[in-house]
Short mmCIF file of all heavy atoms in Angstrom, two decimals:
data_model
loop_
_atom_site.label_atom_id
_atom_site.label_comp_id
_atom_site.label_asym_id
_atom_site.label_seq_id
_atom_site.Cartn_x
_atom_site.Cartn_y
_atom_site.Cartn_z
N MET A 1259 0.85 -1.16 0.00
CA MET A 1259 0.02 0.00 -0.01
C MET A 1259 0.90 1.25 0.00
O MET A 1259 1.85 1.33 0.78
CB MET A 1259 -0.90 -0.06 1.22
CG MET A 1259 -1.76 1.15 1.42
SD MET A 1259 -3.07 0.98 2.64
CE MET A 1259 -2.15 0.52 4.08
N SER A 1260 0.59 2.17 -0.85
CA SER A 1260 1.32 3.42 -0.88
C SER A 1260 0.57 4.48 -0.13
O SER A 1260 -0.53 4.26 0.36
CB SER A 1260 1.54 3.87 -2.34
OG SER A 1260 0.34 4.38 -2.83
N ASP A 1261 1.15 5.64 -0.02
CA ASP A 1261 0.45 6.75 0.65
C ASP A 1261 -0.77 7.22 -0.12
O ASP A 1261 -1.64 7.86 0.44
CB ASP A 1261 1.40 7.93 0.81
CG ASP A 1261 2.40 7.73 1.91
OD1 ASP A 1261 2.16 6.83 2.74
OD2 ASP A 1261 3.40 8.45 1.97
N TYR A 1262 -0.85 6.90 -1.40
CA TYR A 1262 -1.91 7.47 -2.23
C TYR A 1262 -2.89 6.46 -2.78
O TYR A 1262 -3.94 6.81 -3.30
CB TYR A 1262 -1.31 8.22 -3.42
CG TYR A 1262 -0.37 9.32 -2.95
CD1 TYR A 1262 1.00 9.15 -2.99
CD2 TYR A 1262 -0.89 10.50 -2.44
CE1 TYR A 1262 1.85 10.14 -2.55
CE2 TYR A 1262 -0.04 11.49 -1.98
CZ TYR A 1262 1.33 11.33 -2.05
OH TYR A 1262 2.16 12.29 -1.59
N ASN A 1263 -2.58 5.20 -2.70
CA ASN A 1263 -3.41 4.22 -3.39
C ASN A 1263 -3.48 2.91 -2.62
O ASN A 1263 -2.47 2.45 -2.09
CB ASN A 1263 -2.79 3.95 -4.76
CG ASN A 1263 -3.82 3.85 -5.87
OD1 ASN A 1263 -4.98 4.20 -5.68
ND2 ASN A 1263 -3.39 3.38 -7.01
N PHE A 1264 -4.67 2.32 -2.51
CA PHE A 1264 -4.85 1.01 -1.94
C PHE A 1264 -4.52 -0.04 -2.98
O PHE A 1264 -4.46 0.24 -4.18
CB PHE A 1264 -6.30 0.81 -1.46
CG PHE A 1264 -6.59 1.44 -0.15
CD1 PHE A 1264 -7.26 2.67 -0.10
CD2 PHE A 1264 -6.23 0.85 1.01
CE1 PHE A 1264 -7.57 3.26 1.10
CE2 PHE A 1264 -6.49 1.43 2.23
CZ PHE A 1264 -7.17 2.63 2.30
N ASP A 1265 -4.35 -1.28 -2.53
CA ASP A 1265 -4.12 -2.38 -3.44
C ASP A 1265 -5.19 -2.53 -4.49
O ASP A 1265 -4.97 -3.07 -5.56
CB ASP A 1265 -3.96 -3.72 -2.66
CG ASP A 1265 -2.70 -3.75 -1.84
OD1 ASP A 1265 -1.74 -3.05 -2.17
OD2 ASP A 1265 -2.66 -4.53 -0.86
N VAL A 1266 -6.40 -2.07 -4.21
CA VAL A 1266 -7.51 -2.17 -5.14
C VAL A 1266 -7.59 -1.00 -6.11
O VAL A 1266 -8.54 -0.86 -6.86
CB VAL A 1266 -8.85 -2.32 -4.39
CG1 VAL A 1266 -8.93 -3.62 -3.62
CG2 VAL A 1266 -9.08 -1.14 -3.47
N ASP A 1267 -6.54 -0.18 -6.12
CA ASP A 1267 -6.46 0.95 -7.03
C ASP A 1267 -7.61 1.95 -6.85
O ASP A 1267 -8.14 2.51 -7.83
CB ASP A 1267 -6.38 0.49 -8.48
CG ASP A 1267 -5.03 -0.20 -8.75
OD1 ASP A 1267 -4.02 0.21 -8.16
OD2 ASP A 1267 -5.01 -1.13 -9.56
N VAL A 1268 -8.00 2.17 -5.62
CA VAL A 1268 -8.99 3.19 -5.28
C VAL A 1268 -8.30 4.21 -4.40
O VAL A 1268 -7.66 3.85 -3.42
CB VAL A 1268 -10.20 2.55 -4.55
CG1 VAL A 1268 -11.16 3.64 -4.11
CG2 VAL A 1268 -10.88 1.54 -5.41
N LEU A 1269 -8.41 5.46 -4.75
CA LEU A 1269 -7.79 6.49 -3.94
C LEU A 1269 -8.42 6.51 -2.56
O LEU A 1269 -9.63 6.26 -2.39
CB LEU A 1269 -7.93 7.85 -4.61
CG LEU A 1269 -7.22 8.03 -5.95
CD1 LEU A 1269 -7.57 9.39 -6.52
CD2 LEU A 1269 -5.72 7.88 -5.77
N ARG A 1270 -7.64 6.82 -1.53
CA ARG A 1270 -8.15 6.81 -0.16
C ARG A 1270 -9.33 7.72 0.01
O ARG A 1270 -10.32 7.37 0.66
CB ARG A 1270 -7.05 7.18 0.82
CG ARG A 1270 -5.95 6.14 0.86
CD ARG A 1270 -4.98 6.45 1.94
NE ARG A 1270 -4.21 7.67 1.69
CZ ARG A 1270 -3.26 8.09 2.48
NH1 ARG A 1270 -2.92 7.45 3.58
NH2 ARG A 1270 -2.61 9.21 2.20
N GLY A 1271 -9.26 8.92 -0.57
CA GLY A 1271 -10.39 9.86 -0.45
C GLY A 1271 -11.66 9.31 -1.10
O GLY A 1271 -12.77 9.47 -0.54
N GLN A 1272 -11.48 8.69 -2.27
CA GLN A 1272 -12.65 8.08 -2.93
C GLN A 1272 -13.25 7.00 -2.09
O GLN A 1272 -14.49 6.92 -1.94
CB GLN A 1272 -12.23 7.45 -4.28
CG GLN A 1272 -11.87 8.46 -5.35
CD GLN A 1272 -11.34 7.74 -6.59
OE1 GLN A 1272 -10.42 6.91 -6.49
NE2 GLN A 1272 -11.93 8.04 -7.73
N MET A 1273 -12.41 6.13 -1.52
CA MET A 1273 -12.92 5.04 -0.66
C MET A 1273 -13.64 5.57 0.53
O MET A 1273 -14.72 5.12 0.89
CB MET A 1273 -11.78 4.13 -0.25
CG MET A 1273 -12.27 2.92 0.56
SD MET A 1273 -11.00 1.71 0.85
CE MET A 1273 -10.84 0.98 -0.77
N GLY A 1274 -13.08 6.61 1.15
CA GLY A 1274 -13.73 7.21 2.30
C GLY A 1274 -15.09 7.78 1.99
O GLY A 1274 -16.04 7.60 2.73
N ARG A 1275 -15.18 8.49 0.87
CA ARG A 1275 -16.46 9.10 0.48
C ARG A 1275 -17.49 8.02 0.14
O ARG A 1275 -18.68 8.15 0.48
CB ARG A 1275 -16.26 10.07 -0.65
CG ARG A 1275 -15.63 11.39 -0.21
CD ARG A 1275 -15.57 12.42 -1.31
NE ARG A 1275 -14.66 12.04 -2.38
CZ ARG A 1275 -13.33 12.23 -2.31
NH1 ARG A 1275 -12.77 12.76 -1.25
NH2 ARG A 1275 -12.56 11.87 -3.33
N VAL A 1276 -17.08 6.97 -0.54
CA VAL A 1276 -18.01 5.90 -0.87
C VAL A 1276 -18.50 5.21 0.40
O VAL A 1276 -19.70 4.94 0.55
CB VAL A 1276 -17.35 4.86 -1.84
CG1 VAL A 1276 -18.19 3.62 -1.95
CG2 VAL A 1276 -17.11 5.49 -3.19
N LEU A 1277 -17.59 4.93 1.32
CA LEU A 1277 -18.00 4.27 2.56
C LEU A 1277 -18.90 5.17 3.41
O LEU A 1277 -19.83 4.70 4.06
CB LEU A 1277 -16.78 3.86 3.40
CG LEU A 1277 -16.02 2.67 2.83
CD1 LEU A 1277 -14.75 2.44 3.66
CD2 LEU A 1277 -16.86 1.40 2.82
N ALA A 1278 -18.64 6.48 3.40
CA ALA A 1278 -19.47 7.42 4.16
C ALA A 1278 -20.91 7.43 3.60
O ALA A 1278 -21.85 7.67 4.36
CB ALA A 1278 -18.89 8.84 4.11
N GLY A 1279 -21.05 7.14 2.34
CA GLY A 1279 -22.37 7.13 1.73
C GLY A 1279 -23.10 5.78 1.86
O GLY A 1279 -24.23 5.66 1.39
N ASN A 1280 -22.45 4.79 2.44
CA ASN A 1280 -23.04 3.46 2.55
C ASN A 1280 -22.80 2.97 3.97
O ASN A 1280 -21.79 2.27 4.21
CB ASN A 1280 -22.47 2.51 1.50
CG ASN A 1280 -23.14 1.16 1.48
OD1 ASN A 1280 -23.71 0.75 2.46
ND2 ASN A 1280 -23.03 0.49 0.37
N VAL A 1281 -23.65 3.31 4.91
CA VAL A 1281 -23.35 3.03 6.31
C VAL A 1281 -23.29 1.56 6.64
O VAL A 1281 -22.53 1.14 7.52
CB VAL A 1281 -24.36 3.76 7.23
CG1 VAL A 1281 -24.17 5.28 7.16
CG2 VAL A 1281 -25.80 3.41 6.93
N GLU A 1282 -24.06 0.74 5.95
CA GLU A 1282 -23.98 -0.71 6.19
C GLU A 1282 -22.59 -1.21 5.81
O GLU A 1282 -21.99 -2.01 6.55
CB GLU A 1282 -25.05 -1.44 5.39
CG GLU A 1282 -25.02 -2.95 5.59
CD GLU A 1282 -26.00 -3.70 4.70
OE1 GLU A 1282 -26.77 -3.04 3.98
OE2 GLU A 1282 -25.98 -4.89 4.72
N GLN A 1283 -22.10 -0.77 4.66
CA GLN A 1283 -20.78 -1.20 4.24
C GLN A 1283 -19.69 -0.63 5.14
O GLN A 1283 -18.70 -1.30 5.42
CB GLN A 1283 -20.55 -0.72 2.77
CG GLN A 1283 -19.33 -1.31 2.12
CD GLN A 1283 -19.46 -2.82 1.89
OE1 GLN A 1283 -20.51 -3.42 2.05
NE2 GLN A 1283 -18.39 -3.43 1.52
N LEU A 1284 -19.88 0.58 5.66
CA LEU A 1284 -18.92 1.21 6.56
C LEU A 1284 -18.74 0.32 7.80
O LEU A 1284 -17.61 0.01 8.19
CB LEU A 1284 -19.35 2.60 6.94
CG LEU A 1284 -18.49 3.27 8.03
CD1 LEU A 1284 -17.08 3.49 7.55
CD2 LEU A 1284 -19.11 4.58 8.45
N ALA A 1285 -19.86 -0.10 8.42
CA ALA A 1285 -19.78 -0.93 9.61
C ALA A 1285 -19.10 -2.24 9.30
O ALA A 1285 -18.23 -2.72 10.09
CB ALA A 1285 -21.17 -1.18 10.17
N PHE A 1286 -19.42 -2.83 8.14
CA PHE A 1286 -18.78 -4.09 7.76
C PHE A 1286 -17.27 -3.94 7.58
O PHE A 1286 -16.47 -4.72 8.14
CB PHE A 1286 -19.39 -4.65 6.48
CG PHE A 1286 -18.78 -5.92 6.02
CD1 PHE A 1286 -19.23 -7.13 6.50
CD2 PHE A 1286 -17.72 -5.92 5.13
CE1 PHE A 1286 -18.64 -8.33 6.09
CE2 PHE A 1286 -17.10 -7.08 4.73
CZ PHE A 1286 -17.58 -8.28 5.20
N VAL A 1287 -16.86 -2.91 6.84
CA VAL A 1287 -15.44 -2.72 6.55
C VAL A 1287 -14.66 -2.41 7.82
O VAL A 1287 -13.57 -2.96 8.05
CB VAL A 1287 -15.26 -1.62 5.48
CG1 VAL A 1287 -13.78 -1.19 5.36
CG2 VAL A 1287 -15.77 -2.07 4.15
N LEU A 1288 -15.21 -1.55 8.67
CA LEU A 1288 -14.54 -1.25 9.92
C LEU A 1288 -14.37 -2.48 10.81
O LEU A 1288 -13.28 -2.73 11.31
CB LEU A 1288 -15.34 -0.18 10.72
CG LEU A 1288 -15.13 1.26 10.36
CD1 LEU A 1288 -16.06 2.13 11.20
CD2 LEU A 1288 -13.68 1.66 10.61
N SER A 1289 -15.46 -3.23 11.00
CA SER A 1289 -15.34 -4.40 11.87
C SER A 1289 -14.42 -5.45 11.27
O SER A 1289 -13.64 -6.08 11.99
CB SER A 1289 -16.73 -4.98 12.12
OG SER A 1289 -17.31 -5.46 10.94
N GLU A 1290 -14.44 -5.63 9.97
CA GLU A 1290 -13.56 -6.62 9.30
C GLU A 1290 -12.11 -6.20 9.46
O GLU A 1290 -11.26 -6.98 9.86
CB GLU A 1290 -13.94 -6.73 7.81
CG GLU A 1290 -13.21 -7.85 7.09
CD GLU A 1290 -13.75 -9.23 7.43
OE1 GLU A 1290 -14.77 -9.38 8.10
OE2 GLU A 1290 -13.09 -10.18 6.98
N ALA A 1291 -11.81 -4.95 9.15
CA ALA A 1291 -10.43 -4.48 9.23
C ALA A 1291 -9.91 -4.50 10.68
O ALA A 1291 -8.80 -4.97 10.92
CB ALA A 1291 -10.33 -3.05 8.65
N LEU A 1292 -10.71 -4.00 11.61
CA LEU A 1292 -10.25 -3.94 12.99
C LEU A 1292 -10.12 -5.28 13.67
O LEU A 1292 -9.46 -5.42 14.69
CB LEU A 1292 -11.18 -3.01 13.79
CG LEU A 1292 -11.10 -1.54 13.39
CD1 LEU A 1292 -12.18 -0.70 14.11
CD2 LEU A 1292 -9.73 -0.95 13.66
N SER A 1293 -10.72 -6.32 13.08
CA SER A 1293 -10.61 -7.66 13.64
C SER A 1293 -9.27 -8.31 13.29
O SER A 1293 -8.91 -9.31 13.90
CB SER A 1293 -11.76 -8.53 13.10
OG SER A 1293 -13.00 -8.06 13.57
N PHE A 1294 -8.58 -7.75 12.31
CA PHE A 1294 -7.35 -8.41 11.85
C PHE A 1294 -6.12 -7.48 11.86
O PHE A 1294 -5.15 -7.79 11.16
CB PHE A 1294 -7.56 -8.95 10.43
CG PHE A 1294 -8.61 -10.01 10.37
CD1 PHE A 1294 -9.90 -9.71 9.99
CD2 PHE A 1294 -8.32 -11.32 10.77
CE1 PHE A 1294 -10.87 -10.68 9.93
CE2 PHE A 1294 -9.32 -12.30 10.74
CZ PHE A 1294 -10.57 -11.98 10.30
N VAL A 1295 -6.18 -6.40 12.58
CA VAL A 1295 -5.09 -5.47 12.61
C VAL A 1295 -4.63 -5.21 14.04
O VAL A 1295 -5.44 -5.27 14.98
CB VAL A 1295 -5.52 -4.12 11.93
CG1 VAL A 1295 -6.54 -3.37 12.78
CG2 VAL A 1295 -4.32 -3.24 11.65
N ALA A 1296 -3.34 -4.95 14.21
CA ALA A 1296 -2.79 -4.61 15.52
C ALA A 1296 -3.00 -3.11 15.74
O ALA A 1296 -2.49 -2.31 14.95
CB ALA A 1296 -1.32 -4.97 15.58
N ALA A 1297 -3.76 -2.75 16.75
CA ALA A 1297 -4.11 -1.36 16.98
C ALA A 1297 -2.86 -0.50 17.19
O ALA A 1297 -2.82 0.66 16.76
CB ALA A 1297 -5.06 -1.22 18.15
N ASP A 1298 -1.83 -1.05 17.82
CA ASP A 1298 -0.64 -0.23 18.06
C ASP A 1298 0.06 0.13 16.74
O ASP A 1298 0.62 1.21 16.59
CB ASP A 1298 0.33 -0.92 19.03
CG ASP A 1298 0.67 -2.35 18.60
OD1 ASP A 1298 0.02 -2.95 17.74
OD2 ASP A 1298 1.66 -2.90 19.17
N ASP A 1299 -0.05 -0.76 15.74
CA ASP A 1299 0.50 -0.42 14.40
C ASP A 1299 -0.30 0.71 13.76
O ASP A 1299 0.26 1.60 13.11
CB ASP A 1299 0.47 -1.65 13.46
CG ASP A 1299 1.46 -2.72 13.87
OD1 ASP A 1299 2.40 -2.41 14.67
OD2 ASP A 1299 1.31 -3.84 13.38
N VAL A 1300 -1.62 0.66 13.94
CA VAL A 1300 -2.48 1.73 13.38
C VAL A 1300 -2.12 3.06 14.03
O VAL A 1300 -2.03 4.07 13.32
CB VAL A 1300 -3.97 1.38 13.61
CG1 VAL A 1300 -4.85 2.55 13.18
CG2 VAL A 1300 -4.36 0.10 12.88
N ILE A 1301 -1.96 3.04 15.34
CA ILE A 1301 -1.64 4.29 16.05
C ILE A 1301 -0.29 4.84 15.60
O ILE A 1301 -0.12 6.02 15.35
CB ILE A 1301 -1.68 4.07 17.56
CG1 ILE A 1301 -3.12 3.76 18.00
CG2 ILE A 1301 -1.09 5.25 18.33
CD1 ILE A 1301 -3.26 3.25 19.39
N GLU A 1302 0.69 3.93 15.45
CA GLU A 1302 2.04 4.36 15.06
C GLU A 1302 2.09 4.87 13.61
O GLU A 1302 2.73 5.87 13.33
CB GLU A 1302 3.01 3.18 15.22
CG GLU A 1302 4.45 3.52 14.86
CD GLU A 1302 5.39 2.37 15.04
OE1 GLU A 1302 5.08 1.45 15.82
OE2 GLU A 1302 6.44 2.35 14.36
N CYS A 1303 1.36 4.22 12.73
CA CYS A 1303 1.47 4.54 11.31
C CYS A 1303 0.25 5.29 10.74
O CYS A 1303 0.25 5.71 9.59
CB CYS A 1303 1.65 3.26 10.48
SG CYS A 1303 3.08 2.29 10.94
N GLY A 1304 -0.78 5.40 11.54
CA GLY A 1304 -2.05 5.94 11.04
C GLY A 1304 -2.00 7.39 10.67
O GLY A 1304 -1.11 8.16 11.09
N GLN A 1305 -2.95 7.77 9.87
CA GLN A 1305 -3.07 9.18 9.40
C GLN A 1305 -4.53 9.49 9.24
O GLN A 1305 -5.28 8.68 8.65
CB GLN A 1305 -2.33 9.33 8.07
CG GLN A 1305 -2.49 10.67 7.42
CD GLN A 1305 -1.81 10.73 6.06
OE1 GLN A 1305 -0.98 9.92 5.74
NE2 GLN A 1305 -2.23 11.69 5.27
N LEU A 1306 -4.95 10.62 9.74
CA LEU A 1306 -6.34 11.04 9.56
C LEU A 1306 -6.52 11.59 8.14
O LEU A 1306 -5.60 12.11 7.55
CB LEU A 1306 -6.70 12.12 10.56
CG LEU A 1306 -6.75 11.69 12.04
CD1 LEU A 1306 -7.05 12.88 12.91
CD2 LEU A 1306 -7.75 10.58 12.26
N GLY A 1307 -7.73 11.50 7.66
CA GLY A 1307 -8.06 12.08 6.35
C GLY A 1307 -7.89 13.58 6.36
O GLY A 1307 -7.97 14.24 7.39
N ASP A 1308 -7.62 14.12 5.19
CA ASP A 1308 -7.36 15.57 5.06
C ASP A 1308 -8.52 16.39 5.61
O ASP A 1308 -8.31 17.49 6.15
CB ASP A 1308 -7.12 15.95 3.58
CG ASP A 1308 -5.83 15.36 3.06
OD1 ASP A 1308 -4.93 15.05 3.88
OD2 ASP A 1308 -5.72 15.26 1.85
N GLU A 1309 -9.75 15.92 5.44
CA GLU A 1309 -10.93 16.68 5.88
C GLU A 1309 -11.53 16.10 7.14
O GLU A 1309 -12.65 16.46 7.49
CB GLU A 1309 -11.94 16.73 4.76
CG GLU A 1309 -11.39 17.44 3.51
CD GLU A 1309 -12.35 17.41 2.35
OE1 GLU A 1309 -13.54 17.11 2.54
OE2 GLU A 1309 -11.91 17.70 1.22
N ALA A 1310 -10.82 15.21 7.81
CA ALA A 1310 -11.38 14.56 8.99
C ALA A 1310 -11.54 15.51 10.15
O ALA A 1310 -10.70 16.38 10.36
CB ALA A 1310 -10.48 13.38 9.40
N ASP A 1311 -12.59 15.32 10.90
CA ASP A 1311 -12.82 16.06 12.16
C ASP A 1311 -12.49 15.09 13.28
O ASP A 1311 -13.28 14.19 13.56
CB ASP A 1311 -14.29 16.50 12.20
CG ASP A 1311 -14.66 17.19 13.52
OD1 ASP A 1311 -13.88 17.10 14.52
OD2 ASP A 1311 -15.71 17.85 13.53
N PRO A 1312 -11.34 15.24 13.92
CA PRO A 1312 -10.90 14.27 14.93
C PRO A 1312 -11.92 14.03 16.04
O PRO A 1312 -12.16 12.90 16.46
CB PRO A 1312 -9.60 14.88 15.49
CG PRO A 1312 -9.09 15.76 14.41
CD PRO A 1312 -10.34 16.29 13.73
N LYS A 1313 -12.53 15.11 16.56
CA LYS A 1313 -13.53 14.95 17.64
C LYS A 1313 -14.73 14.14 17.18
O LYS A 1313 -15.20 13.25 17.89
CB LYS A 1313 -13.94 16.31 18.17
CG LYS A 1313 -12.86 17.01 18.94
CD LYS A 1313 -13.33 18.35 19.46
CE LYS A 1313 -12.19 19.06 20.18
NZ LYS A 1313 -12.58 20.35 20.72
N LEU A 1314 -15.22 14.43 15.99
CA LEU A 1314 -16.38 13.72 15.44
C LEU A 1314 -16.02 12.26 15.15
O LEU A 1314 -16.79 11.35 15.41
CB LEU A 1314 -16.92 14.42 14.21
CG LEU A 1314 -18.19 13.78 13.60
CD1 LEU A 1314 -19.32 13.70 14.61
CD2 LEU A 1314 -18.59 14.53 12.35
N ALA A 1315 -14.80 12.04 14.62
CA ALA A 1315 -14.37 10.68 14.33
C ALA A 1315 -14.31 9.82 15.60
O ALA A 1315 -14.80 8.70 15.63
CB ALA A 1315 -13.01 10.70 13.64
N VAL A 1316 -13.78 10.40 16.67
CA VAL A 1316 -13.71 9.67 17.94
C VAL A 1316 -15.09 9.41 18.52
O VAL A 1316 -15.40 8.30 18.96
CB VAL A 1316 -12.84 10.46 18.97
CG1 VAL A 1316 -12.96 9.86 20.35
CG2 VAL A 1316 -11.38 10.46 18.51
N GLN A 1317 -15.95 10.41 18.45
CA GLN A 1317 -17.33 10.26 18.91
C GLN A 1317 -18.04 9.14 18.17
O GLN A 1317 -18.71 8.28 18.75
CB GLN A 1317 -18.09 11.59 18.77
CG GLN A 1317 -19.52 11.52 19.20
CD GLN A 1317 -20.25 12.85 18.96
OE1 GLN A 1317 -19.74 13.75 18.28
NE2 GLN A 1317 -21.45 12.95 19.44
N ASN A 1318 -17.89 9.14 16.83
CA ASN A 1318 -18.55 8.12 16.02
C ASN A 1318 -17.98 6.73 16.28
O ASN A 1318 -18.72 5.75 16.34
CB ASN A 1318 -18.46 8.49 14.53
CG ASN A 1318 -19.41 9.59 14.17
OD1 ASN A 1318 -20.40 9.86 14.87
ND2 ASN A 1318 -19.10 10.30 13.10
N LEU A 1319 -16.66 6.62 16.45
CA LEU A 1319 -16.05 5.34 16.75
C LEU A 1319 -16.53 4.79 18.10
O LEU A 1319 -16.78 3.60 18.23
CB LEU A 1319 -14.51 5.45 16.74
CG LEU A 1319 -13.88 5.52 15.37
CD1 LEU A 1319 -12.39 5.86 15.47
CD2 LEU A 1319 -14.03 4.20 14.64
N ARG A 1320 -16.68 5.67 19.07
CA ARG A 1320 -17.22 5.24 20.38
C ARG A 1320 -18.64 4.74 20.28
O ARG A 1320 -19.02 3.78 20.89
CB ARG A 1320 -17.11 6.38 21.39
CG ARG A 1320 -15.71 6.62 21.90
CD ARG A 1320 -15.66 7.56 23.09
NE ARG A 1320 -14.28 7.66 23.52
CZ ARG A 1320 -13.64 8.81 23.68
NH1 ARG A 1320 -14.29 9.96 23.49
NH2 ARG A 1320 -12.40 8.85 24.07
N MET A 1321 -19.45 5.48 19.47
CA MET A 1321 -20.85 5.06 19.29
C MET A 1321 -20.91 3.70 18.59
O MET A 1321 -21.71 2.84 18.98
CB MET A 1321 -21.60 6.10 18.48
CG MET A 1321 -21.88 7.39 19.27
SD MET A 1321 -22.63 8.67 18.24
CE MET A 1321 -24.19 7.88 17.80
N ILE A 1322 -20.05 3.48 17.60
CA ILE A 1322 -20.04 2.20 16.90
C ILE A 1322 -19.56 1.08 17.86
O ILE A 1322 -20.15 0.00 17.90
CB ILE A 1322 -19.14 2.27 15.66
CG1 ILE A 1322 -19.79 3.16 14.59
CG2 ILE A 1322 -18.86 0.89 15.09
CD1 ILE A 1322 -18.91 3.51 13.44
N ALA A 1323 -18.53 1.35 18.66
CA ALA A 1323 -18.05 0.37 19.62
C ALA A 1323 -19.13 0.03 20.61
O ALA A 1323 -19.33 -1.15 20.95
CB ALA A 1323 -16.81 0.90 20.33
N ASP A 1324 -19.85 1.01 21.13
CA ASP A 1324 -20.95 0.76 22.06
C ASP A 1324 -22.03 -0.10 21.44
O ASP A 1324 -22.59 -1.00 22.06
CB ASP A 1324 -21.57 2.09 22.55
CG ASP A 1324 -20.64 2.87 23.46
OD1 ASP A 1324 -19.64 2.29 23.96
OD2 ASP A 1324 -20.91 4.09 23.65
N ALA A 1325 -22.35 0.20 20.16
CA ALA A 1325 -23.40 -0.56 19.46
C ALA A 1325 -22.96 -2.02 19.24
O ALA A 1325 -23.76 -2.94 19.33
CB ALA A 1325 -23.71 0.10 18.11
N ILE A 1326 -21.68 -2.24 18.97
CA ILE A 1326 -21.16 -3.59 18.82
C ILE A 1326 -21.26 -4.34 20.16
O ILE A 1326 -21.73 -5.48 20.22
CB ILE A 1326 -19.73 -3.61 18.30
CG1 ILE A 1326 -19.71 -3.12 16.85
CG2 ILE A 1326 -19.10 -5.01 18.40
CD1 ILE A 1326 -18.28 -2.85 16.30
N GLU A 1327 -20.84 -3.68 21.24
CA GLU A 1327 -20.88 -4.30 22.55
C GLU A 1327 -22.30 -4.67 22.98
O GLU A 1327 -22.54 -5.70 23.61
CB GLU A 1327 -20.23 -3.39 23.59
CG GLU A 1327 -18.75 -3.41 23.56
CD GLU A 1327 -18.12 -2.58 24.66
OE1 GLU A 1327 -18.77 -1.63 25.17
OE2 GLU A 1327 -16.98 -2.89 25.04
N SER A 1328 -23.25 -3.81 22.67
CA SER A 1328 -24.63 -4.04 23.08
C SER A 1328 -25.37 -5.01 22.16
O SER A 1328 -26.51 -5.37 22.45
CB SER A 1328 -25.38 -2.69 23.13
OG SER A 1328 -25.59 -2.21 21.83
N GLY A 1329 -24.76 -5.39 21.04
CA GLY A 1329 -25.37 -6.30 20.11
C GLY A 1329 -26.27 -5.60 19.09
O GLY A 1329 -26.97 -6.26 18.31
N GLU A 1330 -26.27 -4.30 19.13
CA GLU A 1330 -27.08 -3.48 18.19
C GLU A 1330 -26.59 -3.70 16.75
O GLU A 1330 -27.37 -3.68 15.83
CB GLU A 1330 -26.99 -2.02 18.59
CG GLU A 1330 -28.15 -1.18 18.17
CD GLU A 1330 -28.03 0.25 18.73
OE1 GLU A 1330 -27.47 0.44 19.84
OE2 GLU A 1330 -28.50 1.16 18.06
N ILE A 1331 -25.26 -3.85 16.62
CA ILE A 1331 -24.64 -4.19 15.33
C ILE A 1331 -24.18 -5.63 15.43
O ILE A 1331 -23.44 -5.97 16.34
CB ILE A 1331 -23.41 -3.30 15.02
CG1 ILE A 1331 -23.85 -1.84 14.83
CG2 ILE A 1331 -22.69 -3.81 13.77
CD1 ILE A 1331 -22.69 -0.86 14.63
N SER A 1332 -24.69 -6.46 14.54
CA SER A 1332 -24.31 -7.88 14.62
C SER A 1332 -23.96 -8.41 13.24
O SER A 1332 -24.25 -7.82 12.25
CB SER A 1332 -25.45 -8.70 15.20
OG SER A 1332 -26.60 -8.57 14.43
#
């Protein structure tokens, strides 16, 4: 993976916008990816999107995590 392109030849910004428009797919992709990745690697190498709102991103991730724990997302 390069800084600009995923293995599937989709630009990161394009992928983000497509996932934002399809909430079912967003939940699937997040849960699939986070199930097979070391979080410390993500923290060390991760990068927020150019237009990301860090506070909103954290709030939304917490809400998704709560929904997974409660069984709301299955």
